Amino acid sequence: MADIVMPSLGADMESGRLAQWLIKPGDRIARGDVIAVVETQKGAIEIEAFEAGTVAGLAIGEGEEVPVGAVIARLEAPGEEAAGAEPAAAEPASAASPAPVEPAGPPLREPAAAPAPRPDGARRRVSPAARTLAARLGLDLAGLGPGSGPGGAVVSGDVRRAAEAVRAAGPPAAPPQGARAAGLDLEEMRKAIAAAMARSKREIPHYYLVQVVDLQAASDWLAARNAERSPEARLLIAVLLLKASALALREHGAFNGTWEDGAFRPGAGIHIGNAVAIRGGGLVAPAIHDVDRLDLETLMAKLRDLVTRARRGGLRSSELSDPTVTVSSLGERGVDRLLGVIYPPQVALLGFGRVGERVLARDGVAVVRQSVELSLAADHRVSDGHSGGLFLRRIADLLQEPDRLLA
Amino acid sequence: MLEELARIAPEADLESLAPAGDLRDELDIDSMDHLNLMIALHRRLGVEIPERDYPRLLSLDAAVAYLRTRGA
Amino acid sequence: MSTALETTYRECVREAIRDALQRDPRVFLMGEDVGHYGGCYAVSKGLLAEFGEERIRDTPLSENGFTGIGIGAALGGLRPIVEIMTVNFSFLALDQIINNAATLLHMSGGAFNVPLVIRMATGAGRQLAAQHSHSMEGWYAHIPGLRVLTPATLEDARGMLWTALEDPDPVLIFEHVMLYNRAGSLAADAGPVDIERAAVRREGGDVTLLTYGGALHKTLEAAEALAAEGISAEVVDLRVLRPLDEATIVASVARTRRAVVVDEGWRSGGVSAEIATRIMERAFWELDAPVERVCGAEVPIPYPAHLEQAALPQVAGIVAAARRTLGR
C-alpha cells in the first residue's frame, strides 16, 4: 500500500486545496496520470501519479486544504489487490469488527449543512474524527443517532458501523460535483513570489556575469527556415536560445541542479524552468523536461503549450517541482539586460535581454549585428565566476552554428 | 481578429483598445502571443502571412489594412 | 547478543558520567557536593577517587556562579557537565542558563556554540516539600536555544548523556528523584541513544497516554490496569520536551483517536498544555474525544506524605481519564 501525498510544487508551498478528484477508489492508474486538480498560489495545478496501482481510497474530500506531505489517497501496488481490502484508516482497535470497504464512487465532501439540532436545543456531538470519516465515506451524519463516545458523542466507530449498514442496504447516492478550480489568484501568486524571492536573496550568494552574444547567424538561419513554413511550423528565437542553453548545461553541470541541506545536488535531467509573465502581474516558471534531448519543433510545441497553460491554469505538478535551472527572457519590451534572482533551491538563472540590432566591433570595423545580452545569475556556493564565464561562452559558441542545435 | 485576441489575452479590455496602438503594448502580449495570433488568423482567414510581414500587423488598424491587401 | 546486567537508574547515570569522562578528556563534572560527598543523590559516588579533583569539582553554593563557569568552560573548548542539586535551585542560575547559554549562539551570529550539559534532579515524592520538589522542566522547554531531556528508563539514563555532550548547544537533563532507586536489567553493551524522538513504550489501539520522566511508570501501570478492563492503551514516553517530537505524538493519536496527557508539572501553562495544543493543531480531525490531562495539583508541593501523594498524578486518576475519553 502506497500513500499519495500532497506534493510540494516549489520551495515556497506549504499547503494545497484539493479542488477536484479525477480518480475514484478502484481505478487503475499509471505513473504520470493526472489524478487530481489542486489549487495553489500558482493557480490550479494538475497532480500526477508517481506510481502505478489501484486506488484504494481517497483520504481527503474535494475542497479540503492539507499541508504538503499529508496523505491524500492510498494506492495498492499492482498485484497487491489480492491481499484484500484494507480499511482506509488502519485501526488496531477495529480488528474485532469486519474490515470496512470503501464505497465505489468519489467521496462526498463533508455535508455543508450542520447536523440537525436536537429537540432539546443542545448541539448534537459528533467527534472531529467521525466527521472526517463520514466525509470520506460519503455518509450523511444527519441519520446517526446518539453515539458511543463521551456524552453520547458520535465517534468514528459509530460512523464506520453506520457506513457498513448503509452499504449493505444499497449503493450510495450520486455525489455532488466539486467546483472546478477557479482561475489564477494574482494576490496569492504575489505572496508565493515574495516568499521565494526573499528567501533567494537571503540565502543565495549570487554572482552575475553578462556577455553580448552575436545572433546574426542564428537570426538568419531562423528567418530562412521560417520563410518556408506556415505560422504553425515557425520557430521563435527563444527556442534556439533554450536549446543552446540546454546543450551547454550538459557540459556545465554545476549550473543544473539544486542546493539542498547544505550541498549541491546535480539535476536528474536538464529540466529548464521558463519564466512566464502573467498579464496583470505575476510570474511562474514551469519546467520543460529534458530540453537537451528535444528537437526544435518539439521544443517549440512544448513551449507554446506551457505558456498557454501557465496563463490559463492547468500546469502539472512535475512542471513545478522538477525545474533544475531557470531561463528568463525580458527583451520583448526593449530591456537590454536582466540580472536575475535565482529561484530556490535552484542554483542558476540565465537571462536573455532584447534580441535586436547592435553595433559590434568585428575585425576592426563597426558592424550592425543581431545580438543579445546573455546574463548568468549563479550561486557562489556551487560555482565560481570562471566556470560561469566558460558556461556562457559555450552557449554563445553554440549559437554561432545553429545546425549544431538540431542534434 | 478581436475574437482571436480575446482568446489569447482573455484578461485584456478590448473595448478600450486603441485601433492604432501597438498591440504588444496595448494588450501586454509577447512574441509567443503574437505568433499564436498569426497562426489563428492564418487558420481563420486562410491568409499567408510571411514572417517578414509581422511588423505590418502590430496594431489593429495596420493588421486590418494588411489583411485586406492580402484578400481576406 | 549481550548479556543483561541488573542495575539501577542511579548507577546508569553514574556509568554514563564515567563513560563520558573516559571517552573525552575535555569532559568534567562540577556542582555542589559532587566530589567528596558523592552527590546529594549519590550519583557521583567514587568518581572523585577515580578521576581526581581536576575533573570532579566541588563548587561553592553559588548556582549562578558555577553555571556561568560551565558556560565559559564550554565556550573555551571543554565539555562541562554541571550538576544542579534540584531544579528549584536552578532558579538562582536562570540568568546564566536563559540569558547566556541559550542565547549566545544567536547573539554571536552563529559564531559561538555553548556545548554545555546541565543535569538537575526534579520532581516530588521524597517529602522534601515545596522548595525541593517541583517539576519545572516545562519552564525550560519554553526557552528557544535549549534542548530539554527527561530520561525515564535505564537505557535513557545510561545513553542520553553522551549524545547530549556531543550536541554543540546547551542540553538540560532532568532526572526525577523517584527514579534513582528504580532497578532493572540493562544490556551490558548499552550505550548512547538518540535525543530526538519520543518512544512508544507500550502499543495499544484505544487511547494514547502521553507522559515523560517520573510519571512514565505510573502511566505504564495505568495501561496495565486498563488492559484488564479491555481497554488497549498506547503509552508514549516524550523523552525530549524541547524540541517536541510532534510526528510521534500525532501518529499515535491519529491511530487511537484519543489522548490523555500525564504530567507531574502544573496544568496551567505547562507541558501538558503544550501537548494538548499541538494535538489540536495537528490532529484535530483525527480526534474522537477531547484531550484529557492528569497533572500535578496547583499547589506548592506539600510536605506531609499523604498530601504530597494527593498532589501528584496517580494510577487511578490516569485510568479514570482514559475511560472518560472512551465515554465510559
Side-chain angles (χ1 to χ4, degrees):
Chain A
M1 189 75 86
D3 290 336
I4 299 175
V5 300
M6 178 63 67
S8 170
L9 306 172
D12 41 306
M13 174 167 162
E14 289 176 358
S15 64
R17 182 181 301 280
L18 196 120
Q20 189 182 11
W21 277 115
L22 302 173
I23 53 171
K24 59 184 186 301
D27 283 357
R28 283 168 187 275
I29 58 174
R31 186 184 150 88
D33 281 359
V34 176
I35 57 172
V37 178
V38 168
E39 278 174 51
T40 72
Q41 290 175 313
K42 291 169 186 160
I45 305 300
E46 296 178 346
I47 302 301
E48 300 150 288
F50 282 105
E51 294 175 66
T54 301
V55 180
L58 306 179
I60 66 171
E62 292 181 350
E64 275 188 63
E65 179 163 355
V66 296
V68 167
V71 175
I72 59 172
R74 291 190 174 82
L75 202 60
E76 282 168 345
E80 196 184 344
E81 295 89 336
E86 189 168 322
E91 283 218 341
S94 67
S97 59
V101 180
E102 293 284 347
L108 285 175
R109 290 184 57 167
E110 183 177 339
R118 295 198 302 197
D120 60 6
R123 189 168 177 265
R124 195 169 51 115
R125 289 179 170 175
V126 181
S127 80
R131 290 180 189 279
T132 311
L133 187 61
R136 190 187 300 158
L137 298 178
L139 188 85
D140 186 357
L141 286 167
L144 289 183
S148 64
V154 173
V155 295
S156 54
D158 300 324
V159 172
R160 205 176 307 111
R161 283 185 288 278
E164 283 157 20
V166 168
R167 200 180 52 255
Q177 280 301 314
R180 174 85 196 185
L184 299 169
D185 181 335
L186 294 180
E187 264 181 51
E188 283 300 311
M189 183 180 275
R190 178 51 49 193
K191 284 186 204 161
I193 295 168
M197 295 299 100
R199 178 183 158 197
S200 175
K201 281 286 182 170
R202 199 164 55 235
E203 296 180 1
I204 303 178
H206 288 65
Y207 68 88
Y208 306 94
L209 306 174
V210 180
Q211 179 170 353
V212 175
V213 179
D214 187 331
L215 287 184
Q216 195 62 52
S219 299
D220 292 347
W221 182 91
L222 192 68
R225 187 194 171 285
N226 282 350
E228 302 164 4
R229 287 170 168 79
S230 66
E232 288 91 336
R234 287 175 195 161
L235 301 179
L236 291 173
I237 188 110
V239 169
L240 300 187
L241 304 180
L242 266 182
K243 184 66 186 285
S245 303
L247 292 177
L249 281 164
R250 270 190 191 169
E251 296 156 35
H252 296 270
F255 302 93
N256 186 67
T258 52
W259 177 270
E260 288 170 73
D261 301 327
F264 175 64
R265 288 192 200 171
I270 295 172
H271 308 320
I272 299 185
N274 295 270
V276 178
I278 307 299
R279 275 182 285 270
L283 174 68
V284 64
I288 297 177
H289 291 83
D290 298 310
V291 174
D292 58 319
R293 301 214 296 252
L294 301 178
D295 61 47
L296 296 175
E297 287 74 21
T298 308
L299 187 52
M300 180 68 200
K302 283 188 181 264
L303 185 62
R304 175 182 291 131
D305 173 53
L306 194 72
V307 170
T308 306
R309 285 189 290 112
R311 289 181 175 156
R312 290 192 187 156
L315 291 174
R316 311 241 160 83
S317 50
S318 62
E319 291 167 341
L320 289 175
S321 56
D322 292 354
T324 53
V325 63
T326 298
V327 168
S328 182
S329 302
L330 270 184
E332 300 264 348
R333 294 290 177 277
V335 167
D336 279 318
R337 172 190 309 175
L338 83 98
L339 299 175
V341 181
I342 298 168
Y343 187 67
Q346 295 166 37
V347 299
L349 181 143
L350 285 167
F352 290 95
R354 172 179 62 92
V355 176
E357 291 183 332
R358 283 180 183 76
V359 178
L360 304 181
R362 285 284 176 276
D363 303 323
V365 182
V367 293
V368 174
R369 306 277 284 177
Q370 288 286 325
S371 60
V372 69
E373 287 203 27
L374 163 62
S375 75
L376 170 69
D379 186 335
H380 221 321
R381 294 172 298 189
V382 179
S383 64
D384 304 319
H386 179 69
S387 54
L390 294 175
F391 172 44
L392 291 187
R393 172 67 181 275
R394 180 68 184 148
I395 299 174
D397 285 350
L398 284 164
L399 287 165
Q400 303 317 306
E401 299 174 60
D403 284 344
R404 289 163 72 182
L405 303 177
L406 300 175
Chain B
M1 180 152 168
L2 284 172
E3 276 173 30
E4 293 303 339
L5 280 173
R7 199 163 299 171
I8 287 160
E11 55 287 292
D13 177 12
L14 296 175
E15 298 284 311
S16 64
L17 176 63
D22 189 319
L23 289 173
R24 295 171 300 180
D25 297 333
E26 293 278 332
L27 302 179
D28 196 14
I29 64 177
D30 59 19
S31 55
M32 179 67 82
D33 296 321
H34 196 259
L35 178 58
N36 285 336
L37 178 63
M38 295 303 116
I39 293 171
L41 293 176
H42 172 66
R43 280 191 188 147
R44 189 154 170 161
L45 306 173
V47 175
E48 284 297 330
I49 311 172
E51 195 177 39
R52 63 175 179 278
D53 287 348
Y54 282 4
R56 298 172 61 184
L57 291 106
L58 288 179
S59 76
L60 198 56
D61 280 351
V64 170
Y66 175 84
L67 293 170
R68 288 232 172 86
T69 65
R70 304 289 293 188
Chain C
M1 282 297 289
S2 63
T3 52
L5 301 174
E6 288 305 308
T7 183
T8 65
Y9 186 95
R10 173 183 291 105
E11 287 166 19
C12 287
V13 177
R14 185 187 301 139
E15 269 316 297
I17 298 171
R18 175 183 282 129
D19 182 28
L21 289 162
Q22 287 168 345
R23 279 180 192 241
D24 188 339
R26 298 173 300 173
V27 172
F28 69 98
L29 174 71
M30 71 171 159
E32 293 159 2
D33 285 337
V34 299
H36 292 95
Y37 186 67
C40 78
Y41 290 102
V43 165
S44 51
K45 207 164 193 170
L47 296 181
L48 176 63
E50 188 175 349
F51 293 97
E53 291 187 342
E54 283 284 305
R55 304 186 70 197
I56 307 294
R57 306 181 79 107
D58 278 323
T59 65
L61 304 187
S62 174
E63 280 79 5
N64 207 41
F66 66 74
T67 303
I69 290 169
I71 292 169
L75 287 168
L78 298 180
R79 292 292 180 272
I81 305 169
V82 170
E83 177 177 313
I84 295 178
M85 205 175 267
T86 166
V87 64
N88 285 74
F89 304 165
S90 74
F91 302 157
L92 290 160
L94 278 181
D95 181 51
Q96 290 297 353
I97 297 171
I98 295 175
N99 279 332
N100 287 333
T103 62
L104 285 178
L105 180 65
H106 176 80
M107 301 277 294
S108 66
F112 301 133
N113 294 94
V114 181
L116 169 72
V117 172
I118 303 177
R119 297 173 41 247
M120 314 184 196
T122 188
R126 298 176 77 102
Q127 283 197 270
L128 294 171
Q131 292 170 328
H132 299 72
S133 302
H134 289 145
S135 291
M136 305 308 303
E137 45 275 10
W139 262 21
Y140 287 103
H142 182 62
I143 310 297
L146 300 178
R147 181 178 290 273
V148 176
L149 311 181
T150 56
T153 63
L154 300 184
E155 287 77 12
D156 283 350
R158 174 67 182 82
M160 279 183 163
L161 179 68
W162 178 252
T163 318
L165 283 164
E166 295 211 298
D167 192 310
D169 300 310
V171 180
L172 272 47
I173 303 179
F174 289 89
E175 298 160 7
H176 195 284
V177 293
M178 297 308 288
L179 293 173
Y180 283 122
N181 288 333
R182 180 163 279 275
S185 61
L186 179 74
D189 61 353
V193 297
D194 83 87
I195 53 171
E196 307 284 334
R197 290 185 294 280
V200 175
R201 299 294 186 199
R202 177 188 176 115
E203 292 190 357
D206 292 336
V207 57
T208 298
L209 311 179
L210 300 133
T211 189
Y212 67 92
L216 173 65
H217 302 283
K218 287 175 183 172
T219 304
L220 287 167
E221 273 183 57
E224 196 63 41
L226 287 164
E229 300 177 15
I231 296 171
S232 162
E234 179 147 306
V235 178
V236 173
D237 175 2
L238 298 172
R239 297 181 72 243
V240 185
L241 300 190
R242 183 182 190 93
L244 276 174
D245 174 8
E246 260 187 15
T248 299
I249 297 169
V250 168
S252 177
V253 174
R255 274 196 304 276
T256 64
R257 306 194 179 285
R258 298 164 189 93
V260 177
V261 188
V262 183
D263 178 9
E264 188 176 312
W266 293 306
R267 176 185 302 254
S268 301
V271 172
S272 67
E274 183 62 32
I275 303 288
T277 306
R278 302 278 181 118
I279 291 171
M280 285 303 155
E281 289 169 342
R282 295 284 308 280
F284 179 80
W285 294 105
E286 308 292 345
L287 290 177
D288 261 340
V291 175
E292 288 276 348
R293 289 194 276 168
V294 183
C295 299
E298 303 229 359
V299 294
I301 294 290
Y303 170 73
H306 66 292
L307 291 181
E308 183 179 40
Q309 290 306 314
L312 297 176
Q314 302 295 353
V315 173
I318 302 169
V319 168
R323 282 198 203 114
R324 286 197 297 275
T325 67
L326 287 147
R328 299 189 199 175

